[in-house]
């Protein structure tokens, strides 16, 4: 068995988690995931200011506290904190170890940065970053060569777990089922406390004040048990694990550079308190292309929020919208108005009597979204609706980023493991690949026997977890019981999603059934516009999309309630 823990789900996660995981119980490997689509843009802007930057500085500070502890306990560290500059982070770790008088072997993985070759690959111009998603084998090579710390750039999140497992158990590229099992375990671990009760639909059932971070006990066949250190907060149940399995996934084929894992084969079993077994995962050959994350500056953005209080909210919103748009000269390329009716009738506080009207403007020219918008808004201060005021004075505008995905032939991307002794070892691409094709949808379960229904929120009988993939939103919904699944699978259709979530009504929606998980998974194409960095939507990462759905009312069988 190999015990792999996680201590970071994003750049900015709980700083103390590394120490907590190292001191909370036995571990063989401790991983940290720092990279997301938005993070790559942040690191790219760091690198523009200083070519020596471009990595997650938080990790280096964590190692200042914990390097000696990890070495003393024999825990290997595997993180993607290298970001856009893994070589420099590896150097900084060597320097840190020297200052602390600690002997430690550091390896790193490179090859993902395609920005210097953007023209060769036919990628768009004006990019700040272009990084291919590499797999697990560079990590495995470094560990096999004795590395105690491995830092990578852009690898798949699950590679942080699959790499150590492959190195420990001696797997090769042909061990697809074992690799797929490790990839699924890695997907569960990658977002930290989201697997142990964080951001969990039924959070009131557990003490999630300070949830612990997850651990995967991986076996030689790729199966695993998800758990956490004893005495830590949160919970590990089949439902907390289901929630994370559905997060930012699509159909049955979960593709990566090493293996395509079949989500429809995953089986979950509660085998003890805070212990969930993952088994039965099948693996298939990976696709021949690697995903490449592209980050660029999309233009300039500004925002003004008007406070509307008391009576005639809609008329007040219409007045100020007409006034401001008349005053804008030149007019920004994009204007988006959103009225949030947070007001309550006969409210006992002024804030509770107020609604918020939000204007977001975008343009390629900073002046058009900056001073022009700010001046137009401020000049209305004594000439608009009664009670006019803003949440804050508008600023000069700020650049916004755009994330896009491209795909390139995996054989054209160098994947290099830099071993602790400085040797560069080339990692070959997968020899056997397979094109991704849709899986034949499984038959729905037998429909629940008709009976009396009651109008109630969906969230009384179903959980949900949602997130972003570029401009698309992912929305996973699971039933809490077998009868609930029989009702959910027939009720929550694409058309019903369009009815319950009107913002998605005109968008392309894909639906996938996962009977083993009693879950329905949706992808809503284009809901998030140009992605999180563009801030096109009130909830730009669709984090709360699932909770909105759970709050919608529909006719639910009384037998389930």
């Amino acid at each position: 068995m190999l015990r792999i823990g996680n201590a970071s789900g994003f750049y900015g996660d709980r700083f103390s988690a590394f120490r907590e995981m190292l001191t909370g119980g036995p571990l063989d490997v401790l991983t940290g995931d720092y990279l997301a689509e938005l993070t790559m843009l942040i690191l790219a802007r760091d690198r523009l200011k200083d070519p020596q930057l471009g990595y997650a500085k938080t990790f280096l500070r964590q190692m200042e506290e914990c390097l000696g502890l990890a070495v003393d306990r024999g825990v290997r560290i595997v993180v993607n904190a290298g970001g856009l500059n893994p070589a420099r982070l590896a150097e900084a770790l060597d320097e840190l170890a020297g200052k602390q008088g600690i002997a430690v072997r550091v390896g790193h993985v490179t090859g993902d940065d395609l920005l210097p070759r953007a023209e060769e690959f036919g990628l768009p111009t004006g990019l700040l970053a272009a990084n291919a998603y590499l797999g697990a084998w560079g990590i495995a090579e470094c560990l096999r060569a004795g590395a105690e710390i491995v830092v990578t750039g852009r690898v798949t999140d699950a590679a942080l777990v699959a790499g150590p497992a492959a190195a420990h158990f001696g797997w090769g590229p042909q061990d697809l089922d074992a690799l797929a099992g490790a990839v699924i375990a890695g997907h569960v671990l990658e977002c930290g406390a989201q697997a142990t009760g964080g951001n969990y639909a039924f959070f009131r059932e557990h003490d999630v004040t300070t949830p612990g971070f997850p651990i995967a006990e991986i076996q030689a066949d790729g199966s695993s048990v998800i758990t956490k250190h004893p005495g830590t907060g949160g919970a590990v149940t089949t439902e907390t694990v289901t929630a994370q399995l559905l997060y930012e996934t699509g159909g049955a084929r979960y593709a990566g550079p090493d293996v395509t894992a079949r989500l429809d084969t995953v089986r979950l079993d509660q085998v003890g308190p805070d212990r969930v077994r993952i088994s039965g995962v099948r693996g298939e050959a990976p696709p021949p292309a690697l995903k490449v994350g592209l980050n660029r500056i999309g233009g300039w953005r500004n925002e003004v929020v008007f406070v509307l209080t008391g009576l005639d909210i809609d008329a007040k919103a219409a007045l100020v919208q007409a006034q401001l748009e008349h005053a804008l000269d030149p007019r920004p390329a994009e204007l988006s108005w959103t009225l949030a009716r947070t007001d309550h009738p006969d409210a006992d506080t002024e804030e509770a009597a107020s609604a918020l009207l939000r204007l977001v403007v975008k343009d390629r020219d900073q002046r058009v979204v900056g001073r022009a918008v700010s001046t137009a808004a401020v000049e209305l201060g004594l000439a608009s609706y009664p009670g006019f005021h803003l949440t804050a004075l508008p600023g000069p505008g700020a650049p916004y980023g755009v994330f896009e995905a491209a795909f390139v032939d995996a054989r054209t991307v160098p994947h290099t493991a830099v071993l602790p002794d400085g040797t560069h070892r080339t990692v070959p691409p997968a020899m056997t690949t397979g094109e991704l094709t849709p899986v034949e949808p499984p038959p729905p379960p037998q429909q629940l026997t008709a009976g009396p229904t009651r109008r109630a929120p969906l969230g009384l009988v179903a959980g949900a977890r949602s997130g972003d993939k570029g401009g698309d939103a992912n929305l996973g919904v699971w039933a809490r019981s077998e009868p609930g699944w029989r009702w959910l699978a027939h009720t929550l259709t694409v058309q019903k999603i369009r009815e319950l979530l009107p913002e998605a009504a005109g968008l392309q929606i894909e639906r996938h059934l996962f009977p083993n998980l009693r879950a329905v998974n949706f992808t809503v194409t284009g809901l998030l516009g140009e992605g999180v960095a563009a801030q096109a939507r009130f909830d730009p990462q669709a984090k709360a999309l699932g909770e909105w759905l759970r709050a919608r009312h529909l006719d639910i069988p009384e037998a389930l309630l």
Side-chain angles (χ1 to χ4, degrees):
M1 181 182 71
L2 183 69
R3 287 176 60 88
I4 303 179
N6 170 282
S8 177
F10 69 101
Y11 192 15
D13 210 344
R14 193 159 84 218
F15 186 87
S16 61
F18 254 87
R19 177 171 290 277
E20 293 168 12
M21 291 299 287
L22 288 169
T23 59
L27 285 177
D28 299 305
V29 179
L30 185 56
T31 67
D33 178 11
Y34 293 81
L35 302 184
E37 293 166 0
L38 180 60
T39 310
M40 298 300 278
L41 179 65
I42 293 169
L43 297 180
R45 295 178 68 178
D46 284 349
R47 186 172 62 176
L48 281 177
K49 298 173 187 174
D50 182 350
Q52 292 295 300
L53 297 178
Y55 58 83
K57 298 185 288 290
T58 303
F59 171 70
L60 197 57
R61 298 206 316 272
Q62 288 171 313
M63 287 298 96
E64 289 176 2
E65 284 190 6
C66 298
L67 179 59
L69 187 61
V71 172
D72 288 345
R73 297 195 169 215
V75 178
R76 296 187 176 191
I77 306 293
V78 179
V79 296
N80 60 13
L84 303 179
N85 205 346
R88 175 55 198 145
L89 178 56
E91 290 177 358
L93 288 167
D94 282 329
E95 294 164 3
L96 173 63
K99 290 177 184 177
Q100 295 188 351
I102 299 172
V104 63
R105 297 184 295 276
V106 181
H108 67 277
V109 178
T110 66
D112 60 295
D113 187 359
L114 303 186
L115 189 60
R117 302 171 61 195
E119 184 177 353
E120 174 190 342
F121 285 110
L123 301 177
T125 59
L127 296 173
L128 293 180
N131 295 82
Y133 287 70
L134 302 179
W137 297 112
I139 296 169
E141 287 288 345
C142 289
L143 292 172
R144 286 167 177 161
E148 295 159 288
I149 301 178
V150 181
V151 297
T152 76
R154 180 71 277 186
V155 298
T156 63
D157 301 338
L160 302 176
V161 169
H168 180 80
F169 293 114
W171 298 336
Q174 73 284 354
D175 295 309
L176 295 176
D177 288 346
L179 286 167
V183 162
I184 294 301
H187 177 56
V188 173
L189 260 60
E190 69 186 52
C191 289
Q194 278 197 170
T196 59
N199 298 353
Y200 176 55
F202 305 104
F203 67 97
R204 292 189 297 173
E205 297 177 355
H206 308 287
D207 178 6
V208 292
T209 307
T210 309
F213 276 66
I215 297 166
E217 298 175 349
I218 300 182
Q219 303 293 334
D221 64 354
S223 64
S224 62
V225 170
I226 306 300
T227 184
K228 61 188 183 68
H229 282 321
T232 56
V236 179
T237 70
T238 54
E239 288 193 82
T240 67
V241 173
T242 294
Q244 177 54 27
L245 277 174
L246 295 173
Y247 183 62
E248 295 182 349
T249 58
R253 287 192 162 101
Y254 186 63
D258 306 311
V259 64
T260 294
R262 289 289 296 263
L263 288 172
D264 56 346
T265 64
V266 176
R267 300 199 67 87
L268 302 180
D269 294 288
Q270 194 83 41
V271 294
D274 294 320
R275 293 182 65 80
V276 172
R277 179 177 298 283
I278 300 176
S279 62
V281 186
R282 283 177 42 211
E284 299 173 343
L290 293 184
K291 179 181 175 181
V292 182
L294 309 177
N295 292 90
R296 60 179 172 84
I297 296 296
W300 292 81
R301 177 188 182 279
N302 207 352
E303 179 176 314
V304 187
V305 181
F306 301 86
V307 183
L308 316 173
T309 303
L311 305 177
D312 304 318
I313 295 295
D314 289 331
K316 289 171 179 174
L319 172 60
V320 73
Q321 180 174 341
Q323 288 178 311
L324 192 72
E325 293 196 14
H326 176 73
L328 288 176
D329 184 23
R331 182 184 176 92
E334 294 183 39
L335 290 90
S336 175
W337 295 90
T338 306
L339 176 60
R341 293 300 302 264
T342 52
D343 54 303
H344 299 266
D346 194 22
D348 57 1
T349 67
E350 183 178 334
E351 187 171 3
S354 300
L356 300 177
L357 178 64
R358 178 174 177 250
L359 168 65
V360 175
V361 295
K362 294 179 183 177
D363 200 277
R364 300 292 297 177
D365 188 337
Q366 182 184 11
R367 294 169 298 180
V368 174
V369 303
R371 185 174 180 180
V373 172
S374 300
T375 299
V378 171
E379 286 182 349
L380 290 174
L382 302 179
S384 190
Y385 59 86
F388 178 101
H389 67 285
L390 310 174
T391 56
L393 289 175
Y400 70 88
V402 173
F403 173 87
E404 298 169 310
F407 293 88
V408 301
D409 189 331
R411 295 170 297 181
T412 64
V413 177
H415 185 174
T416 303
V418 182
L419 310 184
D421 64 1
T423 301
H424 286 58
R425 186 166 295 167
T426 299
V427 177
M431 296 297 294
T432 303
T433 61
E435 294 290 346
L436 292 176
T437 57
V439 172
E440 185 72 25
Q446 182 181 358
Q447 197 158 0
L448 198 64
T449 303
T453 63
R454 189 196 321 159
R455 198 79 177 165
L458 175 63
L460 296 183
V461 297
R465 172 69 59 77
S466 56
D468 64 317
K469 278 294 183 185
D472 302 339
N474 151 248
L475 173 58
V477 187
W478 75 91
R480 307 206 75 186
S481 66
E482 190 61 30
W485 166 237
R486 290 169 57 191
W487 172 79
L488 187 73
H490 289 274
T491 302
L492 210 57
T493 62
V494 167
Q495 182 56 38
K496 180 59 71 173
I497 287 290
R498 296 189 197 280
E499 295 172 11
L500 295 174
L501 305 180
E503 291 180 16
L507 302 175
Q508 177 184 337
I509 301 175
E510 291 183 2
R511 176 181 188 256
H512 305 279
L513 293 182
F514 295 122
N516 287 0
L517 303 176
R518 297 200 297 246
V520 190
N521 210 22
F522 297 92
T523 300
V524 185
T525 303
L527 181 68
L528 307 179
E530 293 178 299
V532 57
Q535 297 284 305
R537 189 175 175 273
F538 170 68
D539 174 19
Q541 288 183 282
K543 294 289 189 180
L545 184 66
E547 289 303 290
W548 177 27
L549 177 66
R550 293 182 67 239
R552 296 308 310 268
H553 289 222
L554 66 169
D555 296 325
I556 300 175
E558 288 188 354
L560 299 181
L561 295 168

